[in-house]
Amino acid sequence: MSSIQTVGIIGSGTMGNGIAQACATSGLRVVMVDIAQAAVDKGLATVAGSLDRLIKKEKITAADKDKALALITGSTNYDDLKGAQLVIEAATENEGLKVKILQQLDGLLAPEVIVATNTSSISITKLAAATQRPDRFIGMHFFNPVPMMALVEIIRGLQTSDATHDAVKAMAEALGKTPITVKNAPGFVVNRILVPMINEAFFVLAEGLATPEDIDAGMKLGCNQPIGPLALADMIGLDVCLAVMNVYMAEYNDSKYRPAPLLKEMVAAGWLGRKTGKGVYTY
């Protein structure tokens, strides 16, 4: 399997442009595709702004920025992905949309090209089965903000070959990331542990064991977490946390994944966290 020199990225939103930046600053060529030119332009502008902040912090030079931006091509045409050895799908978290994109890629890309998805919740095995290259399909779950976060979860579907896994793992390491290898299961590793912890914090809050501030202080100071679970829930969005718990409950059929009634109540009230100005805390 040829080493990866050019990476195609589908989607120029938060995750897509973050992955593009991480690839380009590591010297890989990038083709970033989105449906609308305005979306592509916005993605490229976000990368430029992010690199400017790194110049201000003296992490990179202006020459580094120019070099990275020169490696990124924005496009609205899928045909421009033909030169890539790896294509990463980073579109909206919607299974139907992802399947449609993956099937479009099958007809376009040479058989040896690896396709990865940046999904955080959809089954890799199920998505692989929708492609004509199930052995060359894998999950690459980057964390937000991509340029700063060291972790990449590499998720093997039932069909993923060793060669595909090894090539993608090597590529993640070339980006300066630390990959962990995970078998396909709802929530993979990080969210499987993180979201039930957040859910448990809502049970603790509802039982009146401590104030939100004290619960968060306890987890920050006692477990060395940079942000407490309730503040983190407000950041993620309470609706997102609830949706994830509902998926675990449905998939595992285990009562330990029962969503906290208080979490459900707050979502019903429209108190979703930072994005609505009120969640556990008021913003």
Side-chain angles (χ1 to χ4, degrees):
M1 200 166 288
S2 63
S3 66
I4 294 161
Q5 312 276 299
T6 301
V7 178
I9 298 169
I10 294 166
S12 59
T14 306
M15 298 309 288
N17 68 57
I19 297 166
Q21 179 180 330
C23 291
T25 50
S26 303
L28 295 172
R29 282 191 298 279
V30 177
V31 180
M32 185 170 68
V33 175
D34 210 314
I35 37 178
Q37 188 61 48
V40 174
D41 293 343
K42 190 180 170 197
L44 292 169
T46 302
V47 174
S50 175
L51 294 170
D52 282 336
R53 285 193 295 281
L54 290 173
I55 294 173
K56 272 207 184 80
K57 291 178 184 163
E58 297 185 352
K59 294 264 187 354
I60 63 167
T61 63
D64 293 333
K65 175 195 167 181
D66 294 342
K67 206 161 117 191
L69 287 177
L71 286 169
I72 305 176
T73 306
S75 173
T76 55
N77 187 352
Y78 271 56
D79 284 350
D80 292 338
L81 297 167
K82 281 182 177 163
Q85 293 83 43
L86 167 70
V87 175
I88 302 170
E89 172 277 311
T92 315
E93 197 70 346
N94 171 314
E95 191 177 327
L97 174 69
K98 287 186 188 291
V99 167
K100 202 176 128 210
I101 290 169
L102 296 175
Q103 289 173 341
Q104 197 172 340
L105 290 176
D106 266 334
L108 189 73
L109 302 175
E112 68 276 4
V113 176
I114 297 172
V115 176
T117 176
N118 179 56
T119 183
S120 55
S121 66
I122 301 166
S123 164
I124 303 303
T125 296
K126 198 170 173 187
L127 289 174
T131 76
Q132 285 161 23
R133 61 187 80 223
D135 58 318
R136 285 178 301 289
F137 186 81
I138 200 162
M140 278 189 98
H141 182 211
F142 289 85
F143 287 76
N144 188 19
V146 179
M148 313 310 292
M149 298 289 273
L151 181 67
V152 181
E153 284 182 312
I154 296 181
I155 304 103
R156 297 186 71 144
L158 199 57
Q159 314 92 320
T160 308
S161 72
D162 290 344
T164 297
H165 166 266
D166 296 349
V168 168
K169 183 175 182 223
M171 180 265 188
E173 286 167 346
L175 298 185
K177 304 297 183 195
T178 305
I180 62 171
T181 299
V182 182
K183 280 196 298 199
N184 183 57
F188 312 136
V189 165
V190 175
N191 287 337
R192 167 88 177 267
I193 297 170
L194 174 69
V195 184
M197 182 193 76
I198 289 171
N199 191 54
E200 195 62 29
F202 278 91
F203 276 113
V204 168
L205 179 61
E207 286 164 30
L209 298 185
T211 62
E213 291 80 3
D214 281 356
I215 292 168
D216 279 351
M219 293 306 287
K220 280 164 69 175
L221 302 174
C223 298
N224 214 9
Q225 295 179 354
I227 179 171
L230 296 170
L232 182 57
D234 277 353
M235 239 168 97
I236 294 168
L238 271 59
D239 52 336
V240 176
C241 295
L242 177 58
V244 172
M245 290 307 296
N246 283 332
V247 167
Y248 296 166
M249 192 67 208
E251 293 281 339
Y252 292 111
N253 196 23
D254 183 333
S255 62
K256 74 177 178 182
Y257 298 114
R258 178 170 75 96
L262 177 61
L263 176 61
K264 288 161 79 170
E265 272 290 277
M266 290 174 74
V267 171
W271 297 354
L272 307 183
R274 290 187 183 217
K275 60 187 169 188
T276 58
K278 178 162 178 54
V280 177
Y281 301 99
T282 304
Y283 298 91

